[in-house]
Amino acid sequence: MGNRSSIVDAFRLDGKVALVTGASRGLGMVMTEGLAEAGADIVAVATRLENLEGIVETITKLGKKSIPMACDVTDHPQVKKVVERTVEEFGRIDILLNCAGVIRRSPAEEFSYDDWNAVLDVNLNGTFLFCKEVGKVMLKQKRGKIINIASLLSFFGGITIPAYAASKGGVAQLTKALSNEWAAHGITVNAIAPGYYVTDMTEKLRENEVRFKEISDRIPAGRWGKPEDLKGAVVFLASEASDYVSGHILVVDGGWMAR
């Protein structure tokens, strides 16, 4: 942990630069806020700049620097431009948090090929592109923290979300593959697998009374997650406190997977 004077200090992110995709809403926005609260400056990425106004205002109020950038995470040239501009502005990238994601729901036999490609392109290909380009920067630095967003669907198949399950299974395996290559170079690569959270992405699921009860009854914590429940996990994986943790899928699910 370098010259840190205590374990509490090891969790601080003062002076660190975090690049976050999917920073404009939901879990991504709240985790971005958590990184800023721990001391990091933020490059906040979303599809549209105007969607980032809220998180930029929050980061500014915390006294940290924030640069909003618009980017289609499936467009390689755009991804490279975001990474290059971040390095131009800050001189380095200490943390990459890949939160950009989409979901489509339909019975498998009716699931359109367009929806399949759209989900895989954002959730898996977009994650890979940012890992690849930021990884190049971190390899030169000989240090970095990459945090991907997996899912409980990285472990089981779910219902009527075949593309999402496939993409999140891929994110988990990509995380492990990159860790195998980069951990020796001072780069930790981990993923967070959120359980069932109250967000706009789960709204339709929560409106299904049968599925809502089935899921709720299985959660030992007795409730669905709040986005704020992920702040501790993301700060841990972004900080020096997790320097010997790599290739891990950290489940934050209120005990769901243990039941």
Side-chain angles (χ1 to χ4, degrees):
M1 289 184 215
N3 297 318
R4 296 286 187 179
S5 59
S6 73
I7 187 59
V8 174
D9 291 336
F11 285 85
R12 292 296 308 172
L13 301 177
D14 302 286
K16 302 295 184 181
V17 177
L19 192 166
V20 186
T21 71
S24 64
R25 63 177 187 163
L27 301 182
M29 182 174 69
V30 175
M31 284 189 280
T32 302
E33 182 179 323
L35 294 176
E37 288 173 345
D41 293 318
I42 306 290
V43 174
V45 177
T47 306
R48 303 178 64 166
L49 270 181
E50 56 266 33
N51 293 342
L52 291 164
E53 291 176 1
I55 188 60
V56 167
E57 181 179 354
T58 297
I59 295 166
T60 301
K61 287 180 179 178
L62 290 168
K64 307 311 299 181
K65 186 174 181 180
S66 176
I67 299 177
M69 297 192 196
C71 178
D72 175 356
V73 301
T74 71
D75 187 308
H76 196 181
Q78 288 189 40
V79 171
K80 291 178 70 173
K81 185 176 180 180
V82 166
V83 174
E84 290 168 358
R85 185 180 166 199
T86 301
V87 174
E88 289 173 2
E89 293 283 347
F90 290 102
R92 67 189 189 285
I93 303 173
D94 301 296
I95 302 155
L96 169 65
L97 174 59
N98 280 308
C99 293
V102 297
I103 192 168
R104 301 284 188 274
R105 297 181 184 276
S106 174
E109 70 275 14
E110 300 172 6
F111 207 92
S112 76
Y113 193 50
D114 286 344
D115 280 349
W116 173 271
N117 283 333
V119 173
L120 269 291
D121 214 12
V122 173
N123 296 3
L124 183 56
N125 294 345
T127 294
F128 170 70
L129 289 177
F130 264 98
C131 285
K132 175 184 176 180
E133 295 305 325
V134 173
K136 294 175 184 178
V137 176
M138 291 180 172
L139 285 168
K140 292 178 181 178
Q141 297 171 171
K142 301 187 183 302
R143 184 167 184 83
K145 300 279 186 172
I146 295 176
I147 307 162
N148 296 323
I149 300 302
S151 168
L152 295 187
L153 279 301
S154 299
F155 302 96
F156 58 86
I159 299 171
T160 68
I161 46 174
Y164 188 81
S167 71
K168 292 302 183 178
V171 167
Q173 292 304 101
L174 173 65
T175 298
K176 297 171 188 178
L178 295 179
S179 175
N180 289 343
E181 292 194 39
W182 294 346
H185 302 280
I187 303 167
T188 65
V189 188
N190 295 288
I192 295 173
Y196 289 94
Y197 282 72
V198 178
T199 68
D200 56 354
M201 191 174 282
T202 63
E203 183 176 1
K204 289 185 179 179
L205 183 59
R206 288 181 283 113
E207 289 174 349
N208 183 324
E209 293 183 7
V210 174
R211 288 289 289 138
F212 179 76
K213 186 178 187 306
E214 288 175 348
I215 292 166
S216 300
D217 288 347
R218 181 175 161 167
I219 302 173
R223 64 175 177 85
W224 285 48
K226 300 174 293 184
E228 291 76 14
D229 291 323
L230 291 170
K231 285 185 177 181
V234 74
V235 169
F236 168 63
L237 292 177
S239 72
E240 292 183 7
S242 63
D243 277 357
Y244 201 57
V245 179
S246 196
H248 182 64
I249 314 300
L250 177 57
V251 178
V252 187
D253 67 347
W256 166 281
M257 284 293 291
R259 175 159 282 183

